Amino acid sequence: MSLYRSAVWFAKGLREYTKSGYESAAKDFVPDDLEVQVPGRAFLVTGGNSGIGKATATEIAKRGGTVHLVCRDQERAEGAKAEIIRESGNQNIFLHIVDLSDPKKIWKFAEDFKQEHKLNVLVNNAGCMVNKRELTEDRLEKNFATNTLGVYILTIALIPVLEKEHDPRVITVSSGGMLVQKLNINDLQSERTAFDGTMVYAQNKRQQVVLTEHWARAHPTIHFSSMHPGWVDTPGVQRSMPGFYSRLKDRLRSAAQGADTVLWLALTPAATAQRSGCFFQDRKPVPTHLPLARTSSSLAEEEKLMEILEELAHRFK
């Protein structure tokens, strides 16, 4: 990562990604955009047991939506489900235990899900930031397996069921950290350079933005979006970025503030008035590159990423 990108990004972050950045942006929000009810619509939220995912699931449940939580840990997921039901009064909360770093289990889950449920909105929220290079049982680097390949498989597996429904949407929770990364298709599993978990995560988040743009072109009947929730106080941030958290904890957004744009993209008619494939921050589409940062990729590089992911995904089907 260049010093220029780092400096520009951090200055931007302090101005826009913090709690005060949210409060400033919120002055321009349309007040009643989220005053919607969605009974009869089905939402799948990955990583729905804590942080942004749980806040998103709870607010959807309050508005009458059917919510499918996809989580890894049974005990924590059961606790979250009970809390969401208690807080929303909505009993239509379903739990699915899936390790999103395991391609075979994702395929199996998606095939079973399609037989039993409808789906209007997929929220790819679950993320992973492992700070030491760690391999899954399938010999995949864990951040890549979860953040990129897992998101790819879950999304392409569920596109057929989404396409059957009215107003289908896919929202992927990316990160502003992707702005410091140029797409790198030559080292997707972080084998060739010194391992930096934060930068690997940022690269995965860049990959998610590229995926979103590709899917928007390939599947015009579905509204695709990626988004940056801002710098949010979540258990994941506390665990994976302790230094960052300790320096900025008083300035971080709440989980509810982080979930605001996810909800806006998932629920409102205003969201689908925006072009499919955009990257959003605080309810607005924003650029996917910093000025003069040289992070743009070629169409050939992006197509190569899709080829690699397709090959990997079907290897585990």
Side-chain angles (χ1 to χ4, degrees):
M1 178 176 67
S2 76
L3 207 54
Y4 166 78
R5 285 182 208 161
S6 176
V8 171
W9 176 78
F10 195 71
K12 179 181 177 69
L14 289 174
R15 187 173 64 251
E16 298 177 16
Y17 302 165
T18 53
K19 187 191 307 178
S20 62
Y22 174 83
E23 290 164 353
S24 176
K27 293 172 185 173
D28 295 326
F29 291 174
V30 176
D32 59 353
D33 260 3
L34 287 176
E35 297 299 315
V36 292
Q37 295 296 314
V38 287
R41 283 179 69 77
F43 301 76
L44 190 155
V45 182
T46 66
N49 62 283
S50 68
I52 294 167
K54 185 180 174 188
T56 298
T58 301
E59 292 302 316
I60 291 169
K62 286 178 180 177
R63 289 162 174 79
T66 296
V67 181
H68 296 272
L69 303 173
V70 172
C71 307
R72 188 179 56 204
D73 184 284
Q74 178 90 40
E75 187 177 347
R76 288 193 298 160
E78 292 283 5
K81 176 184 173 181
E83 284 180 42
I84 292 167
I85 291 172
R86 188 165 60 246
E87 197 169 327
S88 67
N90 184 342
Q91 297 291 325
N92 292 319
I93 313 298
F94 299 90
L95 194 54
H96 311 274
I97 304 302
V98 187
D99 182 346
L100 292 170
S101 71
D102 188 325
K104 292 187 287 293
K105 288 179 179 171
I106 300 170
W107 278 119
K108 174 73 165 63
F109 159 71
E111 291 307 311
D112 291 346
F113 185 91
K114 285 190 284 191
Q115 303 304 315
E116 300 170 24
H117 304 286
K118 60 172 259 183
L119 183 64
N120 297 92
V121 181
L122 168 62
V123 180
N124 289 312
N125 164 74
C128 170
M129 188 191 292
V130 177
N131 287 313
K132 291 183 179 177
R133 190 168 187 274
E134 184 180 321
L135 299 182
T136 68
E137 287 182 9
D138 296 307
R139 309 297 295 169
L140 298 167
E141 190 277 314
K142 194 163 188 179
N143 294 298
F144 169 79
T146 307
N147 302 327
T148 302
L149 185 60
V151 166
Y152 175 84
I153 293 174
L154 185 63
T155 303
I156 63 166
L158 292 177
I159 280 173
V161 73
L162 284 160
E163 287 180 326
K164 293 176 182 175
E165 300 302 327
H166 172 67
D167 189 17
R169 309 183 189 190
V170 175
I171 300 106
T172 299
V173 179
S174 180
S175 168
M178 67 93 191
L179 291 167
V180 303
Q181 287 284 311
K182 180 184 187 301
L183 179 65
N184 177 10
I185 56 169
N186 297 315
D187 192 22
L188 291 177
Q189 307 237 22
S190 311
E191 298 167 286
R192 301 181 184 178
T193 54
F195 191 87
D196 181 331
T198 305
M199 289 301 103
V200 170
Y201 178 83
Q203 173 65 211
N204 297 159
K205 294 298 173 177
R206 168 63 71 188
Q207 292 157 4
Q208 291 179 348
V209 170
V210 171
L211 289 178
T212 299
E213 292 168 346
H214 170 86
W215 287 326
R217 293 190 296 269
H219 304 282
T221 61
I222 301 174
H223 190 271
F224 289 88
S225 54
S226 56
M227 58 80 67
H228 176 39
W231 291 343
V232 183
D233 187 348
T234 66
V237 169
Q238 295 172 31
R239 184 172 58 249
S240 300
M241 305 176 70
F244 174 85
Y245 177 74
S246 64
R247 286 198 307 276
L248 291 170
K249 60 183 177 183
D250 295 332
R251 303 178 70 172
L252 299 181
R253 298 181 179 197
S254 67
Q257 291 171 336
D260 178 85
T261 295
V262 185
L263 289 164
W264 185 83
L265 289 166
L267 299 173
T268 68
T272 52
Q274 300 287 348
R275 181 173 56 83
S276 182
C278 290
F279 177 69
F280 288 81
Q281 175 188 311
D282 292 330
R283 304 191 190 182
K284 290 182 180 178
V286 295
T288 55
H289 301 280
L290 294 170
L292 307 175
R294 299 183 177 179
T295 50
S296 296
S297 48
S298 68
L299 188 57
E301 288 172 312
E302 294 172 6
E303 288 176 349
K304 183 63 178 174
L305 173 67
M306 304 309 297
E307 286 173 22
I308 293 168
L309 292 176
E310 183 178 4
E311 182 185 328
L312 267 175
H314 284 87
R315 186 187 303 172
F316 295 106
K317 192 170 183 181

